[in-house]
């Protein structure tokens, strides 16, 4: 079981579970997703981030700020933005693999599989948490059908590897039909709702074992 108690009290999810984190902008979706990864890293889990929004350097900076000093060695980042922007180095290193762009879904899948295989077979990490940030960026570049097919394969890969998948989406950027279509792919959902009184966003969960 993957323990989420550090982020959501008493929550556990089964290996192979895919979890969607949805909500409006500025409700802390990204932070919750990184907290879920960091919580696992601090207990020895592997961490893989597929980033379609930020560079690998920014992701690593965010991640290392969230974990214990000794817990950031088993992190892998699939960077889908740096090559497209043409800024910075794009040579793979032990912690970073580059896809050409968020449209390169075949390349993204290959790089993810390489990390999962390496973590499981070479490093002996049987529990791995994978973050995709963000689904909304994929939908900016490709149509719903293409993204749905990609996520269907992606979530299946997480399931077969007994990993845990965490996916972030801006719920206000897409219509209800799009959201309902995509939600079919996930086993559990964390929804953040804006509070108008200046309080912390409300968190609702569905499909999580507590």
């Amino acid at each position: 079981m993957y323990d989420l108690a550090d982020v959501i009290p008493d929550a556990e999810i089964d290996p192979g579970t895919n979890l969607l984190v949805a909500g409006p902008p500025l409700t802390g979706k990204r932070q919750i997703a990184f907290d879920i990864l960091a919580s696992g890293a601090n207990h020895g889990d592997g961490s893989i981030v597929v980033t379609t929004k930020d560079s690998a350097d920014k992701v690593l900076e965010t991640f290392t700020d969230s974990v214990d000093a000794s817990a950031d060695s088993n992190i892998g980042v699939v960077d889908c933005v740096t090559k497209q922007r043409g800024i910075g180095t794009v040579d793979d290193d032990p912690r970073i693999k580059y896809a050409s762009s968020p449209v390169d879904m075949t390349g993204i899948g290959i790089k993810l599989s390489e990390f999962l295989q390496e973590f499981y077979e070479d490093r002996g990490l049987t529990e791995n948490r994978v973050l995709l940030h963000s689904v909304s960026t994929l939908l900016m570049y490709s149509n719903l059908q293409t993204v749905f097919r990609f996520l269907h394969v992606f979530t299946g890969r997480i399931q077969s590897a007994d990993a845990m998948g965490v996916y972030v989406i801006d719920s206000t950027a897409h219509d209800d039909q799009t959201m309902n279509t995509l939600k079919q792919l996930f086993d559990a959902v964390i929804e953040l709702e804006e509070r108008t009184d200046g309080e912390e966003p409300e968190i609702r969960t569905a499909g999580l074992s507590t």
Side-chain angles (χ1 to χ4, degrees):
M1 298 287 282
Y2 287 89
D3 189 350
L4 303 185
D6 291 347
V7 185
I8 300 167
D10 301 322
E12 290 185 330
I13 62 176
D14 294 322
T17 295
N18 289 285
L19 170 65
L20 183 67
V21 181
L26 306 177
T27 48
K29 301 182 300 299
R30 181 178 184 272
Q31 190 58 54
I32 282 181
F34 270 98
D35 287 348
I36 290 171
L37 248 65
S39 171
N42 288 330
H43 291 95
D45 293 358
S47 307
I48 301 169
V49 181
V50 177
T51 173
T52 62
K53 202 164 186 177
D54 301 319
S55 68
D57 290 343
K58 186 171 181 180
V59 166
L60 289 170
E61 183 181 333
T62 301
F63 184 78
T64 52
D65 283 348
S66 305
V67 298
D68 299 337
S70 59
D72 67 349
S73 55
N74 292 315
I75 169 75
V77 182
V78 180
D79 181 334
C80 308
V81 299
T82 299
K83 274 191 176 182
Q84 185 186 37
R85 292 174 182 168
I87 302 170
T89 59
V90 289
D91 296 324
D92 286 0
D93 72 25
R95 299 207 294 180
I96 307 171
K97 299 181 187 293
Y98 293 93
S100 60
S101 76
V103 181
D104 180 20
M105 296 183 187
T106 300
I108 295 169
I110 290 170
K111 301 297 184 183
L112 170 66
S113 293
E114 289 174 355
F115 270 131
L116 283 171
Q117 184 174 357
E118 177 192 334
F119 280 22
Y120 195 87
E121 294 182 3
D122 300 344
R123 304 193 193 189
L125 297 167
T126 56
E127 295 192 343
N128 296 285
R129 304 187 184 205
V130 180
L131 166 60
L132 173 57
H133 182 262
S134 99
V135 176
S136 295
T137 309
L138 294 177
L139 288 163
M140 284 171 52
Y141 288 94
S142 302
N143 62 39
L144 175 59
Q145 186 178 13
T146 301
V147 173
F148 185 92
R149 282 200 306 265
F150 167 72
L151 290 175
H152 186 267
V153 174
F154 196 109
T155 53
R157 198 165 279 144
I158 296 299
Q159 192 172 10
S160 63
D162 282 339
M164 181 181 77
V166 182
Y167 308 75
V168 178
I169 190 166
D170 177 358
S171 57
T172 59
H174 316 291
D175 60 33
D176 289 346
Q177 183 179 352
T178 298
M179 290 299 299
N180 290 333
T181 299
L182 291 173
K183 281 180 181 178
Q184 299 173 49
L185 295 164
F186 302 100
D187 307 296
V189 181
I190 296 175
E191 292 192 84
L192 291 93
E193 292 190 352
E194 243 171 343
R195 302 288 287 270
T196 56
D197 49 13
E199 294 181 9
E200 288 293 308
E202 182 183 357
I203 300 175
R204 293 190 294 116
T205 60
L208 291 179
S209 301
T210 57

